[in-house]
Amino acid sequence: MAGGASAGANLVAVRSHNTALVLGLLRDAGAEGISRLELAERTGLTPQAVSKITARLREEGFAAEAGRRASTGGKPRTVLRLVPEAGHAVGVHLDRDELRVVLVDLDGAVVGERRAELDLGAGAEAVLAVVGDAVEGVVREGLGAFPGMEVPAEVGSLLGVGVALPGPLDHARGVLHRVTGFPEWDGFPLRDALGERLGVPVVVDKDTNAAALGLSVGVEGGEYGEGGEVGSFAYLHLGTGLGAGLVIGGRVHRGARTGAGEFGHQVIQLDGPMCECGNRGCVEALCLAAVERGEAGEAARVLGVAAANLVGLLDIDAVLLGGRTIAGAPEGFVRGVGEVLDARARREGVRGGSVPVRVAPRGERVVAEGAAQLLLAPVFGRGDA
């Protein structure tokens, strides 16, 4: 894991890659559970190693018996299941004008949520105060208290807080760069500042990367098959800004300097309107201007042109659309982007036709839930958070 992404001392059972593999299979098995023999077969570990790992997980409260299953020979096999309530993570979507916070269990199920208005330009101290209050509030409501207080032991199940916000930023160090429209955040160590305020591990990533990670791990029967088995897709987020989360080969692609996915600032009109980034004719500026004029169809067409560039460059399997602007006219954006991609595929004779375009699952919580996965995915040997 990158700096700041440690799961926390409370998750003492997670000590190795092998343990993460077992936990991942337990989660995939759901309430029906899985036997130790099946765990050994699927992980390639010896039965003795699996027995030691599962014994430790049961002792720590992360696994429990789920009954017995008939065997092909000998006595019935005991099956084990994950205990979802044994661990929790907080996901924070920090937008330019709004805050959304969710508390999720080990299954990724949302067990608490808060929303609040936010002014990202109000200054670091004011923003941290709003975020801190919201995080502590959702944890108190969901777990009864917040770590560091005189609290019951079960509050120790909080693994940490994942924060997702507009980029660019340094994911590895948790430091912000020049957030478009808010240059005063350049160089601010958000991860360390928020971690010091809350007293729990904090991970920071771009909103689009967090959403892409959450979609790729396939939590709660996600779009892309069992256990997040997925090739490549782009998650395009159009809200107060425009960005992309890229999953290539089943892993989030952040780039050599964690700067990949600045999709909204590709120039497609040289003499176009000025963008807040300083360039003219950026996709973001053109899309948001069309939306402001009430021309959602034009915004969808512009987004489709940019998406076609991305598909042609990376040859990805699917395009997912999300963000509050998409949520305002989902069918229109899917149709508009899809038409541009279809026309490109016909024009270039692409084998198999155009890639599918869909609205991302989980609605407006997709970024916040993905932010929680920044903590959870490594616990289950998934993703690259």
Side-chain angles (χ1 to χ4, degrees):
M1 296 180 225
S6 60
N10 49 321
L11 198 60
V12 294
V14 182
R15 294 175 180 142
S16 70
H17 174 68
N18 291 341
T19 303
L21 291 177
V22 170
L23 277 168
L25 290 172
L26 286 171
R27 185 172 73 167
D28 293 346
E32 293 184 1
I34 185 171
S35 71
R36 292 178 181 84
L37 180 58
E38 290 173 299
L39 287 170
E41 291 173 346
R42 297 188 189 184
T43 60
L45 300 172
T46 66
Q48 292 83 358
V50 168
S51 292
K52 288 181 179 179
I53 291 171
T54 54
R56 188 166 68 243
L57 290 173
R58 291 184 62 187
E59 181 181 347
E60 297 291 342
F62 296 102
E65 287 192 7
R68 294 180 179 274
R69 185 179 299 161
S71 174
T72 55
K75 63 181 182 180
R77 299 174 185 168
T78 299
V79 292
L80 301 172
R81 64 173 178 86
L82 181 72
V83 180
E85 61 272 21
H88 296 82
V90 174
V92 176
H93 180 190
L94 185 59
D95 208 344
R96 294 172 173 86
D97 60 357
E98 182 182 78
L99 175 71
R100 185 186 295 268
V101 179
V102 297
L103 178 70
V104 307
D105 64 18
L106 292 180
D107 265 340
V110 176
V111 297
E113 180 176 7
R114 280 199 171 194
R115 294 179 64 185
E117 293 183 356
L118 182 76
D119 178 7
L120 196 59
E125 189 58 35
V127 171
L128 289 178
V130 174
V131 174
D133 289 346
V135 170
E136 292 189 15
V138 79
V139 173
R140 284 195 186 97
E141 290 173 3
L143 303 181
F146 193 81
M149 302 168 56
E150 294 295 328
V151 298
E154 56 265 25
V155 179
S157 70
L158 182 65
L159 308 184
V161 177
V163 182
L165 72 161
L169 54 79
D170 184 336
H171 157 77
R173 297 190 301 127
V175 175
L176 306 188
H177 294 322
R178 295 179 64 86
V179 178
T180 303
F182 300 90
E184 63 272 20
W185 283 98
D186 189 18
F188 185 78
L190 179 61
R191 183 193 67 191
D192 293 345
L194 191 57
E196 182 177 353
R197 187 182 193 97
L198 295 174
V200 297
V202 173
V203 191
V204 173
D205 206 344
K206 288 199 297 188
D207 46 11
T208 49
N209 286 345
L213 175 65
L215 294 168
S216 72
V217 297
V219 178
E220 294 185 305
E223 289 280 305
Y224 294 100
E226 297 295 329
E229 294 174 4
V230 58
S232 60
F233 67 86
Y235 168 74
L236 307 184
H237 185 93
L238 181 58
T240 57
L242 173 62
L246 306 174
V247 171
I248 300 175
R251 300 176 67 84
V252 177
H253 177 71
R254 294 186 174 88
R257 290 166 293 279
T258 72
E262 290 300 310
F263 172 82
H265 299 295
Q266 58 173 301
V267 175
I268 62 172
Q269 184 180 334
L270 291 178
D271 58 349
M274 182 66 72
C275 179
E276 289 188 354
C277 74
N279 288 326
R280 287 188 175 276
C282 290
V283 179
E284 178 177 299
L286 293 168
C287 275
L288 293 179
V291 169
E292 190 173 345
R293 296 193 303 269
E295 299 176 1
E298 173 66 9
R301 187 186 70 82
V302 172
L303 184 59
V305 170
N309 291 341
L310 189 62
V311 170
L313 181 66
L314 298 179
D315 194 20
I316 53 179
D317 298 321
V319 172
L320 302 183
L321 306 179
R324 73 176 74 165
T325 302
I326 299 294
E331 294 181 1
F333 273 99
V334 169
R335 181 173 59 253
V337 173
E339 287 174 354
V340 177
L341 292 181
D342 288 343
R344 170 191 171 273
R346 289 193 301 271
R347 188 169 60 250
E348 298 181 3
V350 176
R351 184 188 305 174
S354 178
V355 302
V357 179
R358 294 191 286 270
V359 173
R362 304 189 189 102
E364 292 190 46
R365 292 198 310 210
V366 63
V367 173
E369 290 188 42
Q373 287 300 318
L374 294 169
L375 276 300
L376 293 181
V379 170
F380 297 99
R382 302 275 169 75
D384 59 345

